[in-house]
Amino acid sequence: GADELGADDPGADELGADRFVMDYLVYSHKLDKLAAEGEGLIVTYDYNKAQKAPLPEPVRRRIEAFEGKALS
């Protein structure tokens, strides 16, 4: 399982002003086992201005509510 691979709990952590880190696990139902684990750096982006954008406060609050803790 995930503990055997040393995976972090899936979810978000390290919220920044314009980004957050998402840990994830991919489970294969066909193989009935963990198929992959990873980490993604998610950066908010304003395509109209062609630049990074602040993480919207409602998104930040929702992530923290889902995780059950304040993140920074």
Side-chain angles (χ1 to χ4, degrees), residues 6-66:
D8 290 331
D9 289 334
D13 55 39
E14 299 180 34
L15 283 179
D18 59 5
R19 66 190 68 211
F20 62 93
V21 175
M22 176 70 75
D23 297 320
Y24 57 89
L25 303 173
V26 178
Y27 185 82
S28 170
H29 291 281
K30 183 177 180 179
L31 300 175
D32 194 29
K33 69 178 187 175
L34 186 64
E37 64 179 304
E39 178 180 280
L41 176 62
I42 312 303
V43 178
T44 49
Y45 191 79
D46 184 330
Y47 285 92
N48 292 323
K49 295 180 180 178
Q51 65 186 26
K52 294 185 299 181
L55 187 62
E57 193 58 34
V59 173
R60 175 182 300 279
R61 285 193 307 267
R62 199 131 182 206
I63 291 170
E64 290 180 329
F66 180 80

